[in-house]
Amino acid sequence: MRLGKLIDDKINDLLIKIDMQKVPNHVAIIMDGNGRWATGKGLPRSFGHKQGVIVLKEILKAAKNLGCKIITVYAFSTENWTRPTKEVEFLINLFSEVLKNEIKEIHEESTKIKFIGDLTPFPKNLKEIISSSESLTKNNNKFLFNVCVNYGGRQEIVKVAKQLALKSSSGEIKPNEIDEKLFDSELLTGGIKDPELLIRTSGEKRISNFLLWQLAYSEIYISDVLWPDFNEYEFLKAIIDYQSRNRRFGGIESLPNESLKDSQCSS
Ligand code: FPP
């Protein structure tokens, strides 16, 4: 109890420092360090992924309470297939299990869940549960939870380029009609507002092929904490750090944060 109170006090100390008018609308997260967390404790890497899910739930709750509208996580990259088969299978099963266990609550909280990436190589049962979860929650509008799986930023950009080239050669669009807005609307994120903040855990300072287009102007916050040890307190620290930044977008003066804010969460 005393420890719980201490943690609540620490969180409250941070909460009072947060400007609720400048909470980021969209936060992207690279949840890194699950494997190192587990091996550091002499445990199989899978334990790190399981703990990672618990942390993800805590962060989604914290983000919603704060007033964020969109969280986009990197759950499986196109490069993750190179991991040992056992780990890949474990992750694929974990995605199914998490969806089965959590979808009711996700829906009750009016959260829309969307999977972003090429789902083709995944097993039929995972594709089915993804599809039913997406259709169940498609009209929810309080919060958008994007899960990037078998996702790669370069692959996404190439796909858009191909689509636009096809539309152009079929005469649907003219080449000079291709601009940032049109390109953006063809992305897998489907024209939602870009993340104002990217959080990466475990101290790694790379984007790792995540949302290459969408992160063009995002603030980047690197936390040294491994994802399974990340928590609401660390998340609030990231938000406070974000709020201390002067976002100039290549210009001179900072834009009013409100102009970046999108009260809608759906695409
Ligand atoms: C990175 O740590 C983490 C992953 C590749 C998987 C993250 C997935 C989850 C937490 C499950 C989420 C589930 C749903 C349905 C959203 P790492 O293994 O790269 O760690 P390391 O860098 O220490 O090896």
Side-chain angles (χ1 to χ4, degrees):
M1 269 310 265
R2 283 181 67 81
L3 183 64
K5 163 103 175 56
L6 198 69
I7 293 168
D8 285 349
D9 287 350
K10 277 178 78 183
I11 288 174
N12 285 334
D13 285 349
L14 291 190
L15 277 172
I16 52 173
K17 290 187 184 147
I18 290 178
D19 180 345
M20 297 308 271
Q21 302 306 311
K22 288 187 184 168
V23 169
N25 184 61
H26 183 178
V27 181
I29 307 178
I30 302 179
M31 312 177 286
D32 199 9
N34 291 356
R36 276 166 283 163
W37 179 87
T39 47
K41 292 182 176 325
L43 298 167
R45 291 174 57 87
S46 55
F47 279 64
H49 298 314
K50 274 194 192 164
Q51 181 60 27
V53 173
I54 296 170
V55 171
L56 179 55
K57 282 178 67 181
E58 178 176 342
I59 299 310
L60 285 171
K61 198 170 157 206
K64 282 181 199 177
N65 287 342
L66 213 55
C68 301
K69 296 288 174 198
I70 308 173
I71 290 280
T72 301
V73 296
Y74 208 5
F76 194 92
S77 73
T78 43
E79 291 72 34
N80 284 155
W81 295 106
T82 58
R83 294 187 177 206
T85 315
K86 251 181 88 180
E87 183 169 346
V88 170
E89 282 173 1
F90 179 86
L91 281 168
I92 288 174
N93 276 330
L94 186 68
F95 297 149
S96 296
E97 285 307 305
V98 171
L99 274 180
K100 264 186 234 155
N101 296 337
E102 305 295 335
I103 196 60
K104 189 167 174 275
E105 196 178 324
I106 289 174
H107 185 44
E108 279 167 3
E109 288 179 355
S110 195
T111 292
K112 173 174 169 174
I113 190 164
K114 202 165 175 294
F115 282 77
I116 294 179
D118 178 11
L119 302 182
T120 329
F122 289 120
K124 193 165 164 263
N125 69 327
L126 178 59
K127 283 193 269 200
E128 280 171 2
I129 186 154
I130 285 178
S131 161
S132 63
S133 304
E134 286 185 335
S135 63
L136 176 72
T137 62
K138 70 175 191 292
N139 295 321
N140 293 347
N141 56 16
K142 280 216 176 117
F143 193 83
L144 173 62
F145 177 37
N146 288 320
V147 184
C148 295
V149 283
N150 194 26
Y151 172 86
R154 285 189 175 181
Q155 290 85 337
E156 177 183 36
I157 290 171
V158 168
K159 191 166 182 253
V160 174
K162 271 190 194 153
Q163 270 159 1
L164 292 175
L166 281 172
K167 284 188 180 177
S168 171
S169 64
S170 72
E172 201 181 315
I173 56 166
K174 295 194 184 84
N176 65 6
E177 282 171 2
I178 299 174
D179 58 11
E180 285 187 25
K181 198 166 170 235
L182 184 63
F183 202 96
D184 199 82
S185 68
E186 295 280 346
L187 291 166
L188 298 171
T189 40
I192 57 165
K193 290 261 166 97
D194 292 337
E196 292 96 331
L197 172 64
L198 167 72
I199 298 174
R200 180 169 190 156
T201 58
S202 90
E204 303 290 349
K205 299 177 182 71
R206 291 185 294 278
I207 292 185
S208 299
N209 207 15
F210 187 43
L211 302 176
L212 294 183
W213 173 281
Q214 297 87 337
L215 292 173
Y217 285 100
S218 308
E219 296 298 325
I220 300 177
Y221 179 86
I222 306 289
S223 167
D224 285 333
V225 174
L226 302 176
W227 178 253
D229 283 330
F230 202 73
N231 51 30
E232 181 175 7
Y233 181 77
E234 296 298 331
F235 181 72
L236 296 180
K237 269 168 60 182
I239 301 294
I240 290 170
D241 189 83
Y242 160 79
Q243 292 191 338
S244 73
R245 312 274 179 97
N246 182 9
R247 306 194 74 211
R248 292 188 301 277
F249 299 89
I252 297 169
E253 279 179 38
S254 168
L255 285 180
N257 210 290
E258 271 310 295
S259 69
L260 303 166
K261 210 168 170 187
D262 179 13
S263 57
Q264 279 197 344
C265 72
S266 42
S267 51

